[in-house]
Amino acid sequence: TAEFQRKLVLLRYLNGNYTNYMQERTRFHKLDFSLEILNTSREDRQLYEYIVSKGPEEEVWQIQLEVYEPVSNPSINILSWAVANGSCTVTLNCTAERGDNVSYSWDSRDAGSSGPCTHKGSLLHLSYPLQNASIACTCTASNPISSWVVAFNSSECNYEQGGTSPGPLQHPSPALALQGTFFQA
């Protein structure tokens, strides 16, 4: 018994002419031979093939297309705080409501200096001496296509000070965006 595979052909190019079989979904750019997928959706996340025929031989490239939702502006929540032995101990949680494959990192607000704020992950356990009047940390929520930064400032060790969100330092792309990984067969 023979098994057949069906493949949907999006575009065929031959001798300088092309046929776009999915004009409502794709746009071919002849200048750089790129194919643009219009109104990208999660269903477009799949394996694509690019085939070049040269007489009896074919060159085949496989392209795994990934579709990501951009990261939304994150927020910082204080999960716990305590004063003990002359130190303030705070547990912060940085979260973004939307976004695919989001990673979180914490850093000091003063670029280039490491310190109690440097950490990978959404939770930050922060401990600093009470005589240190203020502490400023930033949380970055990012994925392969977007990134947002939010700041935490505390001038006292109390629950009311909390995190502040001055707004994004970098704007993400609107709607869905793409990232492709290329494999040559």
Side-chain angles (χ1 to χ4, degrees), residues 16-137:
N17 298 314
Y18 68 92
T19 305
N20 185 346
Y21 295 107
M22 302 209 45
Q23 288 183 17
E24 70 283 352
R25 289 282 326 206
T26 63
R27 183 179 302 134
F28 178 62
H29 301 278
K30 197 171 179 178
L31 275 175
D32 62 1
F33 273 76
S34 63
L35 185 66
E36 179 183 359
I37 298 175
L38 306 172
N39 299 318
T40 309
S41 68
R42 293 185 191 278
E43 289 75 37
D44 294 319
R45 180 180 186 240
Q46 57 184 303
L47 185 66
Y48 292 85
E49 286 186 342
Y50 175 73
I51 302 171
V52 177
S53 297
K54 295 179 180 178
E57 291 185 359
E58 283 186 343
E59 289 181 12
V60 179
W61 286 274
Q62 292 186 332
I63 302 163
Q64 176 63 49
L65 182 66
E66 298 293 336
V67 179
Y68 295 98
E69 179 181 17
V71 176
S72 62
N73 191 4
S75 62
I76 297 173
N77 293 313
I78 299 173
L79 299 181
S80 65
W81 66 274
V83 176
N85 300 326
S87 289
C88 179
T89 303
V90 181
T91 300
L92 305 173
N93 188 25
C94 180
T95 55
E97 287 185 24
R98 291 182 317 280
D100 295 319
N101 296 4
V102 180
S103 63
Y104 299 92
S105 63
W106 290 86
D107 214 340
S108 295
R109 191 141 193 196
D110 303 326
S113 67
S114 64
C117 298
T118 304
H119 181 69
K120 298 275 186 221
S122 64
L123 289 177
L124 176 66
H125 302 287
L126 190 58
S127 185
Y128 56 95
L130 286 173
Q131 62 267 30
N132 188 355
S134 68
I135 189 105
C137 302

